């Protein structure tokens, strides 16, 4: 309106983590590595404390039990994925780019957060009931973000009119199983690998202009 002095406000910068928060995050990362190498059940709080360079009583100052650390690993992983995807949506990226970004995130975390990835996919049953439910809510919300991108791509004609539920599960099937064969530090580029997987999802295997004669049985 003429004469208005309204101004746009920028969101306040995120607060810097406290020293305690930073130490908790360090313990979570170290524990994720131990769980990846030895399995969750085989790692004790004493071993986690030793890896973190602290006395066992000090570790209990940060975490009351091992399952609290397990919860922290799950939250770190799913929160990273959701925050990055939320930012892409905020920026208005196209459906195909949203899928590429999500796939790149998962492959990238297999390189940078290997332990978190394995723990998330293999040790969710060890979470206490309340924590398991909270993580499930976050996981389902993230899956819905991918489903929404798939649905929008179909609606706008960018993607073929396939079943979005099946297509979404196919994307997660490609990404979520990859930690079984991905080798961190091998020199392979996770972003490039994600791009190749994304290309298979978007373009499939059929050569341009070719038609397949498929006979259903």
């Amino acid at each position: 309106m003429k004469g208005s002095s309204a101004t746009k406000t920028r969101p306040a910068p995120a607060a810097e983590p406290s020293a305690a928060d930073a130490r908790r995050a360090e313990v979570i990362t170290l524990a994720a590595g131990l769980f990846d190498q030895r399995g969750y059940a085989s790692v004790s709080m004493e071993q986690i404390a030793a890896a973190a360079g602290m006395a066992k009583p000090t570790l209990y100052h940060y975490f009351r039990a091992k399952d609290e650390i397990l919860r922290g690993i799950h939250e770190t992983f799913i929160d990273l994925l959701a925050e990055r995807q939320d930012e892409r949506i905020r920026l208005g990226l196209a459906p195909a780019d949203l899928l590429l970004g999500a796939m790149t995130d998962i492959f990238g975390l297999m390189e940078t957060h290997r332990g978190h990835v394995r723990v998330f996919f293999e040790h969710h049953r060890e979470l206490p009931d309340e924590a398991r439910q909270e993580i499930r809510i976050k996981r389902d919300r993230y899956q819905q973000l991918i489903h929404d991108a798939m649905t929008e791509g179909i609606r706008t004609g960018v993607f073929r009119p396939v079943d979005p539920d099946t297509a979404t599960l196919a994307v997660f099937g490609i990404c979520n199983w990859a930690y079984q064969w991905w080798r961190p530090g091998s020199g392979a580029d996770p972003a490039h690998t994600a791009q190749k997987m994304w290309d298979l999802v978007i373009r499939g295997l059929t050569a341009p202009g070719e038609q397949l004669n498929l006979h259903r049985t």
Side-chain angles (χ1 to χ4, degrees), residues 85 88-89 93-102 141-160 164 167-168 171 198 202:
Q85 196 68 3
R88 294 187 188 98
I89 293 169
L93 269 62
D97 293 324
L98 290 174
L99 292 182
L100 175 59
R141 177 182 175 273
Y142 178 69
Q143 182 168 324
Q144 187 62 47
L145 295 179
I146 308 306
H147 187 277
D148 290 347
M150 195 71 70
T151 301
E152 180 64 10
I154 294 169
R155 186 190 69 79
T156 55
V158 175
F159 303 152
R160 292 190 297 115
T168 300
V171 169
W198 172 84
I202 297 299

PDB file of all heavy atoms in Angstrom, residues 85 88-89 93-102 141-160 164 167-168 171 198 202:
ATOM      1  N   GLN A  85      15.830 -31.653   2.106  1.00  0.00           N
ATOM      2  CA  GLN A  85      14.718 -31.732   1.164  1.00  0.00           C
ATOM      3  C   GLN A  85      13.742 -30.581   1.370  1.00  0.00           C
ATOM      4  O   GLN A  85      13.216 -30.021   0.398  1.00  0.00           O
ATOM      5  CB  GLN A  85      14.000 -33.074   1.298  1.00  0.00           C
ATOM      6  CG  GLN A  85      13.086 -33.411   0.141  1.00  0.00           C
ATOM      7  CD  GLN A  85      13.838 -33.681  -1.158  1.00  0.00           C
ATOM      8  OE1 GLN A  85      15.076 -33.664  -1.193  1.00  0.00           O
ATOM      9  NE2 GLN A  85      13.113 -33.928  -2.221  1.00  0.00           N
ATOM     10  N   ARG A  88      15.060 -27.589  -0.483  1.00  0.00           N
ATOM     11  CA  ARG A  88      14.836 -27.654  -1.938  1.00  0.00           C
ATOM     12  C   ARG A  88      13.388 -27.295  -2.283  1.00  0.00           C
ATOM     13  O   ARG A  88      13.132 -26.603  -3.268  1.00  0.00           O
ATOM     14  CB  ARG A  88      15.156 -29.060  -2.459  1.00  0.00           C
ATOM     15  CG  ARG A  88      16.610 -29.440  -2.346  1.00  0.00           C
ATOM     16  CD  ARG A  88      16.891 -30.774  -3.026  1.00  0.00           C
ATOM     17  NE  ARG A  88      18.260 -31.177  -2.724  1.00  0.00           N
ATOM     18  CZ  ARG A  88      18.593 -32.040  -1.772  1.00  0.00           C
ATOM     19  NH1 ARG A  88      17.639 -32.648  -1.079  1.00  0.00           N
ATOM     20  NH2 ARG A  88      19.848 -32.318  -1.535  1.00  0.00           N
ATOM     21  N   ILE A  89      12.477 -27.782  -1.474  1.00  0.00           N
ATOM     22  CA  ILE A  89      11.065 -27.457  -1.707  1.00  0.00           C
ATOM     23  C   ILE A  89      10.837 -25.964  -1.528  1.00  0.00           C
ATOM     24  O   ILE A  89      10.130 -25.332  -2.316  1.00  0.00           O
ATOM     25  CB  ILE A  89      10.178 -28.280  -0.753  1.00  0.00           C
ATOM     26  CG1 ILE A  89      10.268 -29.766  -1.103  1.00  0.00           C
ATOM     27  CG2 ILE A  89       8.725 -27.803  -0.802  1.00  0.00           C
ATOM     28  CD1 ILE A  89       9.646 -30.696  -0.074  1.00  0.00           C
ATOM     29  N   LEU A  93      12.305 -26.147  -6.366  1.00  0.00           N
ATOM     30  CA  LEU A  93      12.900 -27.018  -7.377  1.00  0.00           C
ATOM     31  C   LEU A  93      11.849 -27.897  -8.037  1.00  0.00           C
ATOM     32  O   LEU A  93      10.828 -28.224  -7.431  1.00  0.00           O
ATOM     33  CB  LEU A  93      13.981 -27.899  -6.755  1.00  0.00           C
ATOM     34  CG  LEU A  93      15.412 -27.332  -6.776  1.00  0.00           C
ATOM     35  CD1 LEU A  93      15.496 -26.043  -5.984  1.00  0.00           C
ATOM     36  CD2 LEU A  93      16.403 -28.355  -6.246  1.00  0.00           C
ATOM     37  N   ALA A  94      12.114 -28.262  -9.289  1.00  0.00           N
ATOM     38  CA  ALA A  94      11.206 -29.105 -10.064  1.00  0.00           C
ATOM     39  C   ALA A  94      11.212 -30.529  -9.509  1.00  0.00           C
ATOM     40  O   ALA A  94      12.164 -30.948  -8.849  1.00  0.00           O
ATOM     41  CB  ALA A  94      11.627 -29.101 -11.534  1.00  0.00           C
ATOM     42  N   PRO A  95      10.154 -31.301  -9.795  1.00  0.00           N
ATOM     43  CA  PRO A  95      10.066 -32.670  -9.256  1.00  0.00           C
ATOM     44  C   PRO A  95      11.290 -33.540  -9.547  1.00  0.00           C
ATOM     45  O   PRO A  95      11.779 -34.242  -8.661  1.00  0.00           O
ATOM     46  CB  PRO A  95       8.809 -33.221  -9.920  1.00  0.00           C
ATOM     47  CG  PRO A  95       7.944 -32.029 -10.141  1.00  0.00           C
ATOM     48  CD  PRO A  95       8.905 -30.923 -10.488  1.00  0.00           C
ATOM     49  N   ALA A  96      11.783 -33.507 -10.787  1.00  0.00           N
ATOM     50  CA  ALA A  96      12.944 -34.336 -11.125  1.00  0.00           C
ATOM     51  C   ALA A  96      14.164 -33.928 -10.313  1.00  0.00           C
ATOM     52  O   ALA A  96      14.950 -34.776  -9.873  1.00  0.00           O
ATOM     53  CB  ALA A  96      13.247 -34.247 -12.619  1.00  0.00           C
ATOM     54  N   ASP A  97      14.330 -32.621 -10.093  1.00  0.00           N
ATOM     55  CA  ASP A  97      15.465 -32.142  -9.306  1.00  0.00           C
ATOM     56  C   ASP A  97      15.298 -32.485  -7.827  1.00  0.00           C
ATOM     57  O   ASP A  97      16.283 -32.714  -7.123  1.00  0.00           O
ATOM     58  CB  ASP A  97      15.632 -30.636  -9.483  1.00  0.00           C
ATOM     59  CG  ASP A  97      16.061 -30.266 -10.895  1.00  0.00           C
ATOM     60  OD1 ASP A  97      16.838 -31.031 -11.495  1.00  0.00           O
ATOM     61  OD2 ASP A  97      15.601 -29.229 -11.405  1.00  0.00           O
ATOM     62  N   LEU A  98      14.062 -32.501  -7.362  1.00  0.00           N
ATOM     63  CA  LEU A  98      13.815 -32.912  -5.978  1.00  0.00           C
ATOM     64  C   LEU A  98      14.221 -34.368  -5.766  1.00  0.00           C
ATOM     65  O   LEU A  98      14.813 -34.723  -4.737  1.00  0.00           O
ATOM     66  CB  LEU A  98      12.341 -32.722  -5.619  1.00  0.00           C
ATOM     67  CG  LEU A  98      11.851 -31.276  -5.482  1.00  0.00           C
ATOM     68  CD1 LEU A  98      10.342 -31.246  -5.279  1.00  0.00           C
ATOM     69  CD2 LEU A  98      12.554 -30.565  -4.330  1.00  0.00           C
ATOM     70  N   LEU A  99      13.901 -35.211  -6.745  1.00  0.00           N
ATOM     71  CA  LEU A  99      14.296 -36.620  -6.635  1.00  0.00           C
ATOM     72  C   LEU A  99      15.808 -36.771  -6.700  1.00  0.00           C
ATOM     73  O   LEU A  99      16.400 -37.539  -5.934  1.00  0.00           O
ATOM     74  CB  LEU A  99      13.637 -37.435  -7.748  1.00  0.00           C
ATOM     75  CG  LEU A  99      12.114 -37.603  -7.675  1.00  0.00           C
ATOM     76  CD1 LEU A  99      11.644 -38.487  -8.824  1.00  0.00           C
ATOM     77  CD2 LEU A  99      11.692 -38.192  -6.342  1.00  0.00           C
ATOM     78  N   LEU A 100      16.438 -36.051  -7.607  1.00  0.00           N
ATOM     79  CA  LEU A 100      17.895 -36.124  -7.725  1.00  0.00           C
ATOM     80  C   LEU A 100      18.553 -35.676  -6.425  1.00  0.00           C
ATOM     81  O   LEU A 100      19.502 -36.315  -5.943  1.00  0.00           O
ATOM     82  CB  LEU A 100      18.390 -35.271  -8.889  1.00  0.00           C
ATOM     83  CG  LEU A 100      19.913 -35.170  -9.048  1.00  0.00           C
ATOM     84  CD1 LEU A 100      20.533 -36.548  -9.247  1.00  0.00           C
ATOM     85  CD2 LEU A 100      20.266 -34.242 -10.209  1.00  0.00           C
ATOM     86  N   GLY A 101      18.051 -34.597  -5.849  1.00  0.00           N
ATOM     87  CA  GLY A 101      18.624 -34.107  -4.599  1.00  0.00           C
ATOM     88  C   GLY A 101      18.503 -35.119  -3.482  1.00  0.00           C
ATOM     89  O   GLY A 101      19.456 -35.348  -2.725  1.00  0.00           O
ATOM     90  N   ALA A 102      17.333 -35.747  -3.374  1.00  0.00           N
ATOM     91  CA  ALA A 102      17.122 -36.732  -2.318  1.00  0.00           C
ATOM     92  C   ALA A 102      18.043 -37.932  -2.505  1.00  0.00           C
ATOM     93  O   ALA A 102      18.652 -38.419  -1.541  1.00  0.00           O
ATOM     94  CB  ALA A 102      15.663 -37.179  -2.315  1.00  0.00           C
ATOM     95  N   ARG A 141       7.175 -38.773   7.271  1.00  0.00           N
ATOM     96  CA  ARG A 141       7.071 -37.428   6.700  1.00  0.00           C
ATOM     97  C   ARG A 141       8.070 -37.261   5.550  1.00  0.00           C
ATOM     98  O   ARG A 141       7.732 -36.696   4.500  1.00  0.00           O
ATOM     99  CB  ARG A 141       7.336 -36.368   7.768  1.00  0.00           C
ATOM    100  CG  ARG A 141       7.304 -34.946   7.194  1.00  0.00           C
ATOM    101  CD  ARG A 141       7.627 -33.874   8.235  1.00  0.00           C
ATOM    102  NE  ARG A 141       7.682 -32.585   7.594  1.00  0.00           N
ATOM    103  CZ  ARG A 141       8.768 -32.068   7.017  1.00  0.00           C
ATOM    104  NH1 ARG A 141       9.910 -32.759   7.024  1.00  0.00           N
ATOM    105  NH2 ARG A 141       8.733 -30.888   6.431  1.00  0.00           N
ATOM    106  N   TYR A 142       9.286 -37.758   5.752  1.00  0.00           N
ATOM    107  CA  TYR A 142      10.283 -37.648   4.677  1.00  0.00           C
ATOM    108  C   TYR A 142       9.841 -38.443   3.456  1.00  0.00           C
ATOM    109  O   TYR A 142       9.943 -37.970   2.319  1.00  0.00           O
ATOM    110  CB  TYR A 142      11.636 -38.146   5.173  1.00  0.00           C
ATOM    111  CG  TYR A 142      12.705 -38.096   4.104  1.00  0.00           C
ATOM    112  CD1 TYR A 142      13.191 -36.882   3.641  1.00  0.00           C
ATOM    113  CD2 TYR A 142      13.212 -39.274   3.540  1.00  0.00           C
ATOM    114  CE1 TYR A 142      14.161 -36.828   2.649  1.00  0.00           C
ATOM    115  CE2 TYR A 142      14.177 -39.231   2.557  1.00  0.00           C
ATOM    116  CZ  TYR A 142      14.652 -38.005   2.112  1.00  0.00           C
ATOM    117  OH  TYR A 142      15.597 -37.955   1.120  1.00  0.00           O
ATOM    118  N   GLN A 143       9.325 -39.640   3.668  1.00  0.00           N
ATOM    119  CA  GLN A 143       8.838 -40.437   2.543  1.00  0.00           C
ATOM    120  C   GLN A 143       7.709 -39.706   1.817  1.00  0.00           C
ATOM    121  O   GLN A 143       7.627 -39.764   0.588  1.00  0.00           O
ATOM    122  CB  GLN A 143       8.351 -41.795   3.037  1.00  0.00           C
ATOM    123  CG  GLN A 143       7.874 -42.715   1.914  1.00  0.00           C
ATOM    124  CD  GLN A 143       7.666 -44.144   2.377  1.00  0.00           C
ATOM    125  OE1 GLN A 143       8.407 -44.653   3.213  1.00  0.00           O
ATOM    126  NE2 GLN A 143       6.648 -44.796   1.840  1.00  0.00           N
ATOM    127  N   GLN A 144       6.874 -38.988   2.560  1.00  0.00           N
ATOM    128  CA  GLN A 144       5.794 -38.238   1.928  1.00  0.00           C
ATOM    129  C   GLN A 144       6.339 -37.115   1.053  1.00  0.00           C
ATOM    130  O   GLN A 144       5.753 -36.805   0.003  1.00  0.00           O
ATOM    131  CB  GLN A 144       4.859 -37.669   2.998  1.00  0.00           C
ATOM    132  CG  GLN A 144       3.611 -37.002   2.443  1.00  0.00           C
ATOM    133  CD  GLN A 144       2.732 -37.972   1.667  1.00  0.00           C
ATOM    134  OE1 GLN A 144       2.463 -39.078   2.137  1.00  0.00           O
ATOM    135  NE2 GLN A 144       2.294 -37.571   0.478  1.00  0.00           N
ATOM    136  N   LEU A 145       7.444 -36.506   1.459  1.00  0.00           N
ATOM    137  CA  LEU A 145       8.055 -35.466   0.627  1.00  0.00           C
ATOM    138  C   LEU A 145       8.455 -36.028  -0.736  1.00  0.00           C
ATOM    139  O   LEU A 145       8.265 -35.376  -1.774  1.00  0.00           O
ATOM    140  CB  LEU A 145       9.284 -34.877   1.327  1.00  0.00           C
ATOM    141  CG  LEU A 145       9.061 -34.112   2.635  1.00  0.00           C
ATOM    142  CD1 LEU A 145      10.387 -33.620   3.180  1.00  0.00           C
ATOM    143  CD2 LEU A 145       8.104 -32.949   2.432  1.00  0.00           C
ATOM    144  N   ILE A 146       9.024 -37.213  -0.743  1.00  0.00           N
ATOM    145  CA  ILE A 146       9.418 -37.847  -2.002  1.00  0.00           C
ATOM    146  C   ILE A 146       8.177 -38.245  -2.800  1.00  0.00           C
ATOM    147  O   ILE A 146       8.120 -38.065  -4.021  1.00  0.00           O
ATOM    148  CB  ILE A 146      10.311 -39.068  -1.734  1.00  0.00           C
ATOM    149  CG1 ILE A 146      11.482 -38.686  -0.829  1.00  0.00           C
ATOM    150  CG2 ILE A 146      10.807 -39.656  -3.045  1.00  0.00           C
ATOM    151  CD1 ILE A 146      12.307 -37.522  -1.310  1.00  0.00           C
ATOM    152  N   HIS A 147       7.183 -38.759  -2.113  1.00  0.00           N
ATOM    153  CA  HIS A 147       5.922 -39.134  -2.772  1.00  0.00           C
ATOM    154  C   HIS A 147       5.267 -37.910  -3.397  1.00  0.00           C
ATOM    155  O   HIS A 147       4.732 -37.976  -4.518  1.00  0.00           O
ATOM    156  CB  HIS A 147       4.987 -39.782  -1.752  1.00  0.00           C
ATOM    157  CG  HIS A 147       3.734 -40.357  -2.330  1.00  0.00           C
ATOM    158  ND1 HIS A 147       2.619 -39.579  -2.597  1.00  0.00           N
ATOM    159  CD2 HIS A 147       3.412 -41.619  -2.704  1.00  0.00           C
ATOM    160  CE1 HIS A 147       1.662 -40.341  -3.102  1.00  0.00           C
ATOM    161  NE2 HIS A 147       2.121 -41.587  -3.182  1.00  0.00           N
ATOM    162  N   ASP A 148       5.309 -36.779  -2.704  1.00  0.00           N
ATOM    163  CA  ASP A 148       4.723 -35.547  -3.236  1.00  0.00           C
ATOM    164  C   ASP A 148       5.436 -35.101  -4.511  1.00  0.00           C
ATOM    165  O   ASP A 148       4.797 -34.645  -5.463  1.00  0.00           O
ATOM    166  CB  ASP A 148       4.797 -34.432  -2.196  1.00  0.00           C
ATOM    167  CG  ASP A 148       3.854 -34.655  -1.024  1.00  0.00           C
ATOM    168  OD1 ASP A 148       2.968 -35.523  -1.128  1.00  0.00           O
ATOM    169  OD2 ASP A 148       4.018 -33.966   0.002  1.00  0.00           O
ATOM    170  N   ALA A 149       6.761 -35.224  -4.530  1.00  0.00           N
ATOM    171  CA  ALA A 149       7.515 -34.867  -5.736  1.00  0.00           C
ATOM    172  C   ALA A 149       7.131 -35.777  -6.888  1.00  0.00           C
ATOM    173  O   ALA A 149       6.964 -35.327  -8.033  1.00  0.00           O
ATOM    174  CB  ALA A 149       9.015 -34.948  -5.461  1.00  0.00           C
ATOM    175  N   MET A 150       6.983 -37.058  -6.596  1.00  0.00           N
ATOM    176  CA  MET A 150       6.585 -38.014  -7.621  1.00  0.00           C
ATOM    177  C   MET A 150       5.186 -37.684  -8.152  1.00  0.00           C
ATOM    178  O   MET A 150       4.940 -37.670  -9.368  1.00  0.00           O
ATOM    179  CB  MET A 150       6.619 -39.427  -7.042  1.00  0.00           C
ATOM    180  CG  MET A 150       6.581 -40.525  -8.067  1.00  0.00           C
ATOM    181  SD  MET A 150       8.131 -40.649  -9.004  1.00  0.00           S
ATOM    182  CE  MET A 150       9.248 -41.285  -7.745  1.00  0.00           C
ATOM    183  N   THR A 151       4.269 -37.400  -7.245  1.00  0.00           N
ATOM    184  CA  THR A 151       2.887 -37.089  -7.631  1.00  0.00           C
ATOM    185  C   THR A 151       2.820 -35.819  -8.469  1.00  0.00           C
ATOM    186  O   THR A 151       2.083 -35.742  -9.460  1.00  0.00           O
ATOM    187  CB  THR A 151       2.012 -36.931  -6.364  1.00  0.00           C
ATOM    188  OG1 THR A 151       2.062 -38.141  -5.608  1.00  0.00           O
ATOM    189  CG2 THR A 151       0.574 -36.628  -6.733  1.00  0.00           C
ATOM    190  N   GLU A 152       3.591 -34.810  -8.075  1.00  0.00           N
ATOM    191  CA  GLU A 152       3.597 -33.553  -8.824  1.00  0.00           C
ATOM    192  C   GLU A 152       4.180 -33.748 -10.220  1.00  0.00           C
ATOM    193  O   GLU A 152       3.693 -33.172 -11.199  1.00  0.00           O
ATOM    194  CB  GLU A 152       4.393 -32.495  -8.053  1.00  0.00           C
ATOM    195  CG  GLU A 152       4.469 -31.128  -8.725  1.00  0.00           C
ATOM    196  CD  GLU A 152       3.124 -30.439  -8.854  1.00  0.00           C
ATOM    197  OE1 GLU A 152       2.131 -30.912  -8.260  1.00  0.00           O
ATOM    198  OE2 GLU A 152       3.063 -29.407  -9.561  1.00  0.00           O
ATOM    199  N   GLY A 153       5.223 -34.565 -10.317  1.00  0.00           N
ATOM    200  CA  GLY A 153       5.799 -34.839 -11.637  1.00  0.00           C
ATOM    201  C   GLY A 153       4.815 -35.544 -12.548  1.00  0.00           C
ATOM    202  O   GLY A 153       4.746 -35.266 -13.749  1.00  0.00           O
ATOM    203  N   ILE A 154       4.019 -36.435 -11.984  1.00  0.00           N
ATOM    204  CA  ILE A 154       2.993 -37.132 -12.774  1.00  0.00           C
ATOM    205  C   ILE A 154       1.884 -36.163 -13.166  1.00  0.00           C
ATOM    206  O   ILE A 154       1.419 -36.138 -14.306  1.00  0.00           O
ATOM    207  CB  ILE A 154       2.432 -38.319 -11.959  1.00  0.00           C
ATOM    208  CG1 ILE A 154       3.522 -39.377 -11.755  1.00  0.00           C
ATOM    209  CG2 ILE A 154       1.215 -38.930 -12.657  1.00  0.00           C
ATOM    210  CD1 ILE A 154       3.151 -40.443 -10.745  1.00  0.00           C
ATOM    211  N   ARG A 155       1.480 -35.320 -12.217  1.00  0.00           N
ATOM    212  CA  ARG A 155       0.390 -34.377 -12.474  1.00  0.00           C
ATOM    213  C   ARG A 155       0.726 -33.393 -13.587  1.00  0.00           C
ATOM    214  O   ARG A 155      -0.114 -33.055 -14.421  1.00  0.00           O
ATOM    215  CB  ARG A 155       0.061 -33.606 -11.200  1.00  0.00           C
ATOM    216  CG  ARG A 155      -1.167 -32.686 -11.320  1.00  0.00           C
ATOM    217  CD  ARG A 155      -1.297 -31.778 -10.123  1.00  0.00           C
ATOM    218  NE  ARG A 155      -0.253 -30.776 -10.068  1.00  0.00           N
ATOM    219  CZ  ARG A 155      -0.259 -29.647 -10.802  1.00  0.00           C
ATOM    220  NH1 ARG A 155      -1.252 -29.398 -11.652  1.00  0.00           N
ATOM    221  NH2 ARG A 155       0.740 -28.781 -10.686  1.00  0.00           N
ATOM    222  N   THR A 156       1.983 -32.959 -13.615  1.00  0.00           N
ATOM    223  CA  THR A 156       2.390 -31.967 -14.603  1.00  0.00           C
ATOM    224  C   THR A 156       2.857 -32.587 -15.921  1.00  0.00           C
ATOM    225  O   THR A 156       3.220 -31.866 -16.852  1.00  0.00           O
ATOM    226  CB  THR A 156       3.526 -31.097 -14.043  1.00  0.00           C
ATOM    227  OG1 THR A 156       4.608 -31.943 -13.622  1.00  0.00           O
ATOM    228  CG2 THR A 156       3.031 -30.286 -12.854  1.00  0.00           C
ATOM    229  N   GLY A 157       2.859 -33.923 -15.994  1.00  0.00           N
ATOM    230  CA  GLY A 157       3.242 -34.588 -17.231  1.00  0.00           C
ATOM    231  C   GLY A 157       4.727 -34.779 -17.409  1.00  0.00           C
ATOM    232  O   GLY A 157       5.167 -35.251 -18.464  1.00  0.00           O
ATOM    233  N   VAL A 158       5.516 -34.414 -16.408  1.00  0.00           N
ATOM    234  CA  VAL A 158       6.964 -34.623 -16.493  1.00  0.00           C
ATOM    235  C   VAL A 158       7.278 -36.112 -16.394  1.00  0.00           C
ATOM    236  O   VAL A 158       8.176 -36.619 -17.071  1.00  0.00           O
ATOM    237  CB  VAL A 158       7.671 -33.839 -15.375  1.00  0.00           C
ATOM    238  CG1 VAL A 158       9.175 -34.142 -15.382  1.00  0.00           C
ATOM    239  CG2 VAL A 158       7.439 -32.348 -15.536  1.00  0.00           C
ATOM    240  N   PHE A 159       6.544 -36.818 -15.544  1.00  0.00           N
ATOM    241  CA  PHE A 159       6.693 -38.262 -15.406  1.00  0.00           C
ATOM    242  C   PHE A 159       5.494 -38.966 -16.035  1.00  0.00           C
ATOM    243  O   PHE A 159       4.407 -38.398 -16.148  1.00  0.00           O
ATOM    244  CB  PHE A 159       6.771 -38.664 -13.923  1.00  0.00           C
ATOM    245  CG  PHE A 159       7.867 -38.004 -13.141  1.00  0.00           C
ATOM    246  CD1 PHE A 159       7.738 -37.805 -11.773  1.00  0.00           C
ATOM    247  CD2 PHE A 159       9.041 -37.576 -13.757  1.00  0.00           C
ATOM    248  CE1 PHE A 159       8.739 -37.204 -11.040  1.00  0.00           C
ATOM    249  CE2 PHE A 159      10.049 -36.964 -13.042  1.00  0.00           C
ATOM    250  CZ  PHE A 159       9.899 -36.781 -11.675  1.00  0.00           C
ATOM    251  N   ARG A 160       5.711 -40.218 -16.433  1.00  0.00           N
ATOM    252  CA  ARG A 160       4.610 -41.023 -16.952  1.00  0.00           C
ATOM    253  C   ARG A 160       3.562 -41.237 -15.865  1.00  0.00           C
ATOM    254  O   ARG A 160       3.877 -41.201 -14.679  1.00  0.00           O
ATOM    255  CB  ARG A 160       5.133 -42.377 -17.443  1.00  0.00           C
ATOM    256  CG  ARG A 160       6.003 -42.311 -18.667  1.00  0.00           C
ATOM    257  CD  ARG A 160       6.284 -43.688 -19.234  1.00  0.00           C
ATOM    258  NE  ARG A 160       7.028 -44.558 -18.327  1.00  0.00           N
ATOM    259  CZ  ARG A 160       6.549 -45.668 -17.790  1.00  0.00           C
ATOM    260  NH1 ARG A 160       5.297 -46.048 -18.028  1.00  0.00           N
ATOM    261  NH2 ARG A 160       7.301 -46.423 -16.997  1.00  0.00           N
ATOM    262  N   PRO A 164       2.206 -43.665  -8.101  1.00  0.00           N
ATOM    263  CA  PRO A 164       3.230 -42.938  -7.333  1.00  0.00           C
ATOM    264  C   PRO A 164       3.723 -43.693  -6.108  1.00  0.00           C
ATOM    265  O   PRO A 164       4.878 -43.518  -5.699  1.00  0.00           O
ATOM    266  CB  PRO A 164       2.515 -41.629  -6.932  1.00  0.00           C
ATOM    267  CG  PRO A 164       1.056 -41.946  -7.013  1.00  0.00           C
ATOM    268  CD  PRO A 164       0.919 -42.959  -8.110  1.00  0.00           C
ATOM    269  N   ALA A 167       6.337 -46.095  -7.444  1.00  0.00           N
ATOM    270  CA  ALA A 167       7.502 -45.342  -7.906  1.00  0.00           C
ATOM    271  C   ALA A 167       8.323 -44.833  -6.727  1.00  0.00           C
ATOM    272  O   ALA A 167       9.565 -44.868  -6.753  1.00  0.00           O
ATOM    273  CB  ALA A 167       7.052 -44.182  -8.791  1.00  0.00           C
ATOM    274  N   THR A 168       7.653 -44.357  -5.694  1.00  0.00           N
ATOM    275  CA  THR A 168       8.353 -43.865  -4.509  1.00  0.00           C
ATOM    276  C   THR A 168       9.126 -44.994  -3.828  1.00  0.00           C
ATOM    277  O   THR A 168      10.292 -44.839  -3.447  1.00  0.00           O
ATOM    278  CB  THR A 168       7.356 -43.244  -3.517  1.00  0.00           C
ATOM    279  OG1 THR A 168       6.682 -42.157  -4.151  1.00  0.00           O
ATOM    280  CG2 THR A 168       8.062 -42.740  -2.266  1.00  0.00           C
ATOM    281  N   VAL A 171      12.303 -45.819  -5.736  1.00  0.00           N
ATOM    282  CA  VAL A 171      13.409 -44.881  -5.476  1.00  0.00           C
ATOM    283  C   VAL A 171      14.096 -45.235  -4.164  1.00  0.00           C
ATOM    284  O   VAL A 171      15.329 -45.321  -4.088  1.00  0.00           O
ATOM    285  CB  VAL A 171      12.886 -43.426  -5.443  1.00  0.00           C
ATOM    286  CG1 VAL A 171      13.968 -42.483  -4.898  1.00  0.00           C
ATOM    287  CG2 VAL A 171      12.458 -42.979  -6.833  1.00  0.00           C
ATOM    288  N   TRP A 198      19.615 -42.044 -10.596  1.00  0.00           N
ATOM    289  CA  TRP A 198      18.507 -41.139 -10.935  1.00  0.00           C
ATOM    290  C   TRP A 198      18.168 -41.227 -12.415  1.00  0.00           C
ATOM    291  O   TRP A 198      16.997 -41.252 -12.795  1.00  0.00           O
ATOM    292  CB  TRP A 198      18.894 -39.716 -10.555  1.00  0.00           C
ATOM    293  CG  TRP A 198      17.952 -38.629 -10.999  1.00  0.00           C
ATOM    294  CD1 TRP A 198      16.824 -38.215 -10.351  1.00  0.00           C
ATOM    295  CD2 TRP A 198      18.080 -37.800 -12.160  1.00  0.00           C
ATOM    296  NE1 TRP A 198      16.230 -37.179 -11.046  1.00  0.00           N
ATOM    297  CE2 TRP A 198      16.992 -36.914 -12.167  1.00  0.00           C
ATOM    298  CE3 TRP A 198      19.013 -37.730 -13.195  1.00  0.00           C
ATOM    299  CZ2 TRP A 198      16.802 -35.956 -13.165  1.00  0.00           C
ATOM    300  CZ3 TRP A 198      18.828 -36.778 -14.187  1.00  0.00           C
ATOM    301  CH2 TRP A 198      17.739 -35.915 -14.175  1.00  0.00           C
ATOM    302  N   ILE A 202      14.572 -41.973 -14.024  1.00  0.00           N
ATOM    303  CA  ILE A 202      13.897 -40.999 -14.889  1.00  0.00           C
ATOM    304  C   ILE A 202      13.737 -41.510 -16.312  1.00  0.00           C
ATOM    305  O   ILE A 202      12.675 -41.363 -16.932  1.00  0.00           O
ATOM    306  CB  ILE A 202      14.681 -39.664 -14.903  1.00  0.00           C
ATOM    307  CG1 ILE A 202      14.704 -39.050 -13.492  1.00  0.00           C
ATOM    308  CG2 ILE A 202      14.071 -38.685 -15.897  1.00  0.00           C
ATOM    309  CD1 ILE A 202      13.337 -38.714 -12.931  1.00  0.00           C
TER     310      ILE A 202
END
